[in-house]
Amino acid sequence: MASERMADQHADDRPEPELPEPQRPESRLPEPRLPEPRLPEPRPLDAIDRDILQILHTDGRASIRAVAERVHVSRANAYARINRLIDDGVIRGFGARINHERAGQGASAYITLKIVQNTWRTVREHLRALPGASHIALVSGDFDVLLLVHTPDNRALRELVLTRLQSIPEVLSTRTLLVFEEEDLKSPASPEPER
């Protein structure tokens, strides 16, 4: 009997086998972005700055010489002003205006989203990672977020909305508005770029 008690004591001293932890699906949140650097206080823009912005908005490939000639300043002055506008965060970048249909993205839609209160930053990171997302805005009114997307076709658009967007936990509801035709607007005062 003593040997049975000793065997029971030794059995109690043995560690219990470790059970594997249940597997949890990995979060698909994109890597957090570093905080954007603080920009200087905005400086007032004069008429020449506004003219430069209009020229570059119409033709982002305009040369410094062409900009300087059109606003009647020296090349050095135009160069300094453009760099100041970039440093001040007025000019965020240069890009091409794309005809999405000719680029193989024949379906476009504005999608409105209602989201859980105070989750904008999290939702914005999810939306930035979406293929075809081209504009995101936090807005007031009947919905919280307005998203513009371009996809190859309606099937890809359906997949994006039903699979990607509606699987974001912070998204309460979506509404999709198909775009039948779109056009980038330019100021009527600006001439057509030379071809």
Side-chain angles (χ1 to χ4, degrees), residues 2 8-9 32 38 44 56 63 65 88 116-117 119 130 137 176:
D8 286 343
Q9 279 180 336
R38 293 188 67 94
L56 293 176
S63 68
R65 183 177 61 83
D88 286 354
V116 174
Q117 189 172 2
T119 61
L130 287 177
T176 304

Side-chain angles (χ1 to χ4, degrees), residues 3-191:
S3 63
E4 286 178 12
R5 274 192 226 135
M6 286 180 65
D8 286 343
Q9 279 180 336
H10 289 297
D12 291 341
D13 290 342
R14 280 184 265 152
E16 292 185 26
E18 290 186 30
L19 298 174
E21 289 188 31
Q23 296 293 324
R24 293 189 177 116
E26 291 184 28
S27 173
R28 294 187 182 181
L29 275 177
E31 291 294 317
R33 293 180 182 227
L34 295 175
E36 294 182 17
R38 293 188 67 94
L39 295 172
E41 286 296 315
R43 294 181 250 195
L45 302 180
D46 62 17
I48 293 173
D49 291 332
R50 287 191 291 278
D51 287 346
I52 289 172
L53 291 174
Q54 185 59 52
I55 291 166
L56 293 176
H57 179 71
T58 303
D59 181 9
R61 294 174 46 171
S63 68
I64 298 289
R65 183 177 61 83
V67 171
E69 287 174 2
R70 288 183 56 190
V71 298
H72 309 294
V73 298
S74 69
R75 278 190 271 177
N77 189 335
Y79 183 80
R81 283 174 178 267
I82 292 170
N83 280 335
R84 189 191 79 230
L85 292 168
I86 292 169
D87 292 343
D88 286 354
V90 176
I91 296 176
R92 297 184 300 172
F94 298 87
R97 288 193 308 268
I98 299 169
N99 180 326
H100 294 283
E101 191 171 352
R102 292 191 58 86
Q105 297 177 312
S108 297
Y110 285 96
I111 303 170
T112 65
L113 295 86
K114 287 186 180 180
I115 62 173
V116 174
Q117 189 172 2
N118 297 324
T119 61
W120 162 241
R121 287 177 180 81
T122 303
V123 171
R124 180 178 58 192
E125 293 306 312
H126 281 289
L127 299 181
R128 283 177 173 167
L130 287 177
S134 67
H135 185 81
I136 305 165
L138 179 65
V139 297
S140 65
D142 294 337
F143 49 88
D144 304 305
V145 178
L146 182 63
L147 169 67
L148 174 60
V149 297
H150 303 283
T151 61
D153 53 34
N154 283 340
R155 180 181 297 267
L157 177 61
R158 179 181 180 277
E159 182 72 17
L160 185 133
V161 173
L162 297 180
T163 304
R164 302 287 298 269
L165 279 178
Q166 293 183 359
S167 69
I168 299 171
E170 296 82 5
V171 172
L172 301 173
S173 66
T174 64
R175 188 172 193 184
T176 304
L177 309 167
L178 290 177
V179 174
F180 296 128
E181 190 173 318
E182 63 183 322
E183 181 178 341
D184 287 332
L185 299 179
K186 295 183 287 187
S187 170
S190 63

